[in-house]
């Protein structure tokens, strides 16, 4: 019998990637079909995020709904994976006894065994251990969906920023052997993938000590894989954004002109309290040198507003940094205290209203930058990789520029998904561009 699987994913691209792997791993052990309707499912999985309190609380409200479904369908399997699972472990089963399996980001490959054990023993199963890189040795060959793919190159994080739970939920940095990464990319390319995004919390901490290959070395090799025409990576950390990596943007044309480089704050006092390991000036120097190496590079970032003790002056320093760097886009968040992290114990005098006002000012400035950048691309010619039909109009196609802008266009005739085509940019909308084939 084919079982139906519903997965609800919260949080970052790592979680999106892990969810795709859950489908693959369950599909390799039994006939599985995915569904968008939780009511139809035989297995419901929540891939959770604990980076902010809101995301964490959302999981428990959604779990309540799954419990109602289980009341109607007693054989329904409910699983909780991801960072909340990793942090809470057994406590999830205590709080929600109808949950059948709890697994962490590093044990998702054990999902079929955990579900079987649940069925055999009648008891909920919890496995949130960190068996290092074992996960990848047990994953089936990657499935290809379209001309782009994500490839995880490093798991976990060893930076211990004072506000962040990730090092505790995903474990410390462990790189995959470069030969495994390259083999996976070659297999993807053989199946028609033209663009890969190398994935990790801090991809530029990647190291294959055995083969003496650092992150830049890996990029060089990935660019050599036949069939791969464009290479992206996310997320990188300013602390390890080496001169060698910057210089790679001048000599590796397949590297996309886009870098997501979280800065968090423009105040050195706050950056030190966050334990980020760089100053605002050092960050700006990276951006300046990167633009010298690759003039059309677009930079996006992450910001935390209202970190404990952030004064108006600190916030102004962040706004100045935004003006200096001209970010193409950004994710920005109000600081959310996370249990078990050092910053959670710091005194915090700034009111919630003030934090929200700062967030809105910051977002307005980024939106303004983003609009200006979009408008500056009008009239230019851009090469896009066609990813599929346009979201709003399936008669049209959607492609992405090297600097990560989505471009929708009416095809002339011969363009197909997976092709790189040259477009003239005719109009800039708030979050996308319109183009026409040349
Ligand atoms: N590896 C990335 C880096 O170099 O900073 C960040 C990964 S983190 C999961 C993604 C983003 O979530 C961070 O860049 C930060 O802006 C935000 N974040 C993390 N902890 C947070 C907290 N306690 N409150 C608000 N935002 C937070
Ligand atoms: Fe979190 Fe800092 Fe690592 S934001 S994921 S501890 S680089």
């Amino acid at each position: 019998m084919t079982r139906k699987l519903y997965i609800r994913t919260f949080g970052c691209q790592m979680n999106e990637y892990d969810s795709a792997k859950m489908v693959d791993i369950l599909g390799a052990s039994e006939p599985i079909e995915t569904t968008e309707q939780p009511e139809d499912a035989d297995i419901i999985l929540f891939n959770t995020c604990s980076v902010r309190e809101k995301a964490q609380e959302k999981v428990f409200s959604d779990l309540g709904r799954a419990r109602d479904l289980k009341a109607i369908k007693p054989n329904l399997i409910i699983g909780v994976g991801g960072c909340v699972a990793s942090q809470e472990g057994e406590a999830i089963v205590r709080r929600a006894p109808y949950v059948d399996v709890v697994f962490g980001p590093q044990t998702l490959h054990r999902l079929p065994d955990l579900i079987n054990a649940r069925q055999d023993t009648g008891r909920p199963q919890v496995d949130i251990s960190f068996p290092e890189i074992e996960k990848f040795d047990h994953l089936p060959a990657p499935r290809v969906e379209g001309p782009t793919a994500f490839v995880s190159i490093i798991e976990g994080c060893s930076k211990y920023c004072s506000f962040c739970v990730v090092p505790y939920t995903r474990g410390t940095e462990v790189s995959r052997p470069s030969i495994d990464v390259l083999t996976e990319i070659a297999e993807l390319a053989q199946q028609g993938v033209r663009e890969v995004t190398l994935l990790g919390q801090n991809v530029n901490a990647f190291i294959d000590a055995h083969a003496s290959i650092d992150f830049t070395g890996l990029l060089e090799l990935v660019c050599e894989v036949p069939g791969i025409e464009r290479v992206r990576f996310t997320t990188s950390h300013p602390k390890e954004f080496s001169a060698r990596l910057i210089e790679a943007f001048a000599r590796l044309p397949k590297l996309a002109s886009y870098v997501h480089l979280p800065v968090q704050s423009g105040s050195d006092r706050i950056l030190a309290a966050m334990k980020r390991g760089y100053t605002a000036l050092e960050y700006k120097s990276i951006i300046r040198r990167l633009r010298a190496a690759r003039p059309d590079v677009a930079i996006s970032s992450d910001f935390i507003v209202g970190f404990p003790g952030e004064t108006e002056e600190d916030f102004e320093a962040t706004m100045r940094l935004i003006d200096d760097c001209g970010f193409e886009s950004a994710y920005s968040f109000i600081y959310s205290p996370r249990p078990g992290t050092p910053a959670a114990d710091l005194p915090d005098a700034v009111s919630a209203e003030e934090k929200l006002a700062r967030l809105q000012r910051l977002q307005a400035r980024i939106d303004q930058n983003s609009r200006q950048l979009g408008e500056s691309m009008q009239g230019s010619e851009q090469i896009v990789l066609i990813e599929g039909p346009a979201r709003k109009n399936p008669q049209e196609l959607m492609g992405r520029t090297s600097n990560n802008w989505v471009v929708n266009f009416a095809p002339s005739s011969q363009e197909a998904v997976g092709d790189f085509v040259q477009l003239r940019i005719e109009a800039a909308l708030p979050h996308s561009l319109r183009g026409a084939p040349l």
Side-chain angles (χ1 to χ4, degrees):
M1 191 196 75
T2 301
R3 284 205 279 189
K4 287 198 173 151
L5 168 67
Y6 170 85
I7 303 192
R8 174 100 160 86
T9 307
F10 299 83
C12 64
Q13 273 169 331
M14 287 307 289
N15 266 13
E16 297 284 350
Y17 179 86
D18 282 348
S19 288
K21 296 293 158 196
M22 290 174 202
V23 178
D24 292 354
I25 194 104
L26 283 172
S29 75
E30 63 172 310
I32 282 282
E33 197 180 293
T34 55
T35 171
E36 299 293 313
Q37 311 299 334
E39 314 76 70
D40 294 346
D42 304 297
I43 303 172
I44 295 183
L45 299 178
F46 293 94
N47 192 6
T48 63
C49 171
S50 58
V51 92
R52 281 172 297 279
E53 191 181 357
K54 241 196 206 141
Q56 176 149 1
E57 280 314 307
K58 185 90 182 60
V59 175
F60 284 100
S61 67
D62 281 22
L63 266 176
R65 248 168 281 147
R67 177 191 51 199
D68 297 343
L69 292 174
K70 195 163 183 164
I72 311 168
K73 206 188 224 178
N75 287 336
L76 177 66
I77 295 282
I78 301 176
V80 180
C83 289
V84 177
S86 176
Q87 215 170 14
E88 305 276 320
E90 299 273 354
I92 293 188
V93 182
R94 280 199 296 275
R95 185 167 163 185
Y98 48 89
V99 168
D100 300 288
V101 291
V102 176
F103 54 100
Q106 307 307 344
T107 49
L108 64 90
H109 58 286
R110 297 181 181 163
L111 200 45
D113 293 341
L114 290 169
I115 292 177
N116 287 339
R118 166 72 181 94
Q119 283 160 342
D120 293 348
T121 63
R123 279 197 306 274
Q125 301 292 312
V126 178
D127 183 354
I128 51 163
S129 55
F130 292 106
E132 295 248 311
I133 213 77
E134 172 194 296
K135 166 175 166 184
F136 288 99
D137 296 336
H138 292 80
L139 291 178
R143 253 178 330 122
V144 164
E145 284 169 12
T148 62
F150 287 98
V151 176
S152 173
I153 64 165
I154 180 167
E155 294 269 316
C157 182
S158 306
K159 301 289 180 287
Y160 293 94
C161 299
S162 64
F163 53 81
C164 186
V165 290
V166 170
Y168 311 99
T169 60
R170 287 187 170 268
T172 49
E173 284 159 4
V174 184
S175 299
R176 280 177 80 187
S178 50
I179 185 73
D180 291 1
V181 171
L182 292 166
T183 307
E184 181 168 329
I185 295 175
E187 282 170 10
L188 290 166
Q190 272 165 12
Q191 296 177 65
V193 167
R194 315 297 301 279
E195 173 187 301
V196 284
T197 302
L198 308 182
L199 207 57
Q201 293 299 340
N202 293 300
V203 284
N204 47 342
F206 173 90
I207 184 78
D208 183 341
H210 191 64
S212 303
I213 296 173
D214 66 357
F215 179 59
T216 309
L218 182 71
L219 284 176
E220 287 164 2
L221 294 169
V222 173
C223 288
E224 296 288 317
V225 174
I228 296 298
E229 299 299 334
R230 203 184 254 173
V231 181
R232 302 182 186 278
F233 55 82
T234 197
T235 304
S236 44
H237 194 290
K239 200 170 142 185
E240 282 155 336
F241 215 98
S242 64
R244 212 169 106 71
L245 177 54
I246 293 172
E247 179 259 341
F249 279 82
R251 79 191 150 80
L252 299 176
K254 288 185 181 177
L255 268 189
S257 294
Y258 174 75
V259 177
H260 181 65
L261 196 60
V263 64
Q264 315 299 356
S265 169
S267 153
D268 289 343
R269 212 175 61 80
I270 296 294
L271 286 171
M274 288 176 164
K275 272 190 64 212
R276 289 291 292 179
Y278 53 85
T279 62
L281 194 64
E282 281 163 346
Y283 183 88
K284 285 191 274 193
S285 156
I286 296 172
I287 304 297
R288 187 175 44 72
R289 287 179 290 136
L290 199 49
R291 291 218 162 103
R294 181 69 75 81
D296 68 346
V297 70
I299 316 281
S300 63
S301 200
D302 290 351
F303 292 90
I304 292 179
V305 169
F307 186 80
E310 184 190 71
T311 62
E312 182 60 30
E313 211 174 301
D314 294 318
F315 179 68
E316 287 303 333
T318 301
M319 294 297 274
R320 277 200 301 282
L321 179 122
I322 293 175
D323 288 342
D324 289 346
C325 294
F327 295 108
E328 183 262 347
S329 64
Y331 295 100
S332 47
F333 315 97
I334 290 180
Y335 167 70
S336 168
R338 303 289 55 221
T341 60
D345 299 328
L346 296 175
D348 184 7
V350 184
S351 71
E353 294 77 45
E354 179 56 36
K355 288 178 186 175
L356 185 61
R358 286 179 192 170
L359 183 72
Q360 286 167 345
R361 272 172 65 198
L362 184 147
Q363 287 177 339
R365 185 72 58 88
I366 299 275
D367 283 349
Q368 192 187 349
N369 278 348
S370 171
R371 262 198 310 279
Q372 280 169 358
L373 264 156
E375 281 162 14
S376 74
M377 285 170 73
Q378 281 187 77
S380 70
E381 289 173 12
Q382 299 286 334
I383 294 175
V384 305
L385 170 59
I386 304 178
E387 293 183 10
R391 204 154 52 92
K392 289 199 184 128
N393 178 357
Q395 309 301 320
E396 295 194 341
L397 291 173
M398 181 282 256
R400 213 176 272 275
T401 64
S402 173
N403 65 1
N404 211 32
W405 278 81
V406 165
V407 191
N408 295 306
F409 65 101
S412 56
S413 62
Q414 64 273 60
E415 298 92 354
V417 172
D419 289 350
F420 284 90
V421 292
Q422 197 158 16
L423 301 178
R424 179 181 298 280
I425 304 305
E426 300 193 316
L429 305 169
H431 299 288
S432 65
L433 303 170
R434 278 208 64 78
L438 280 172

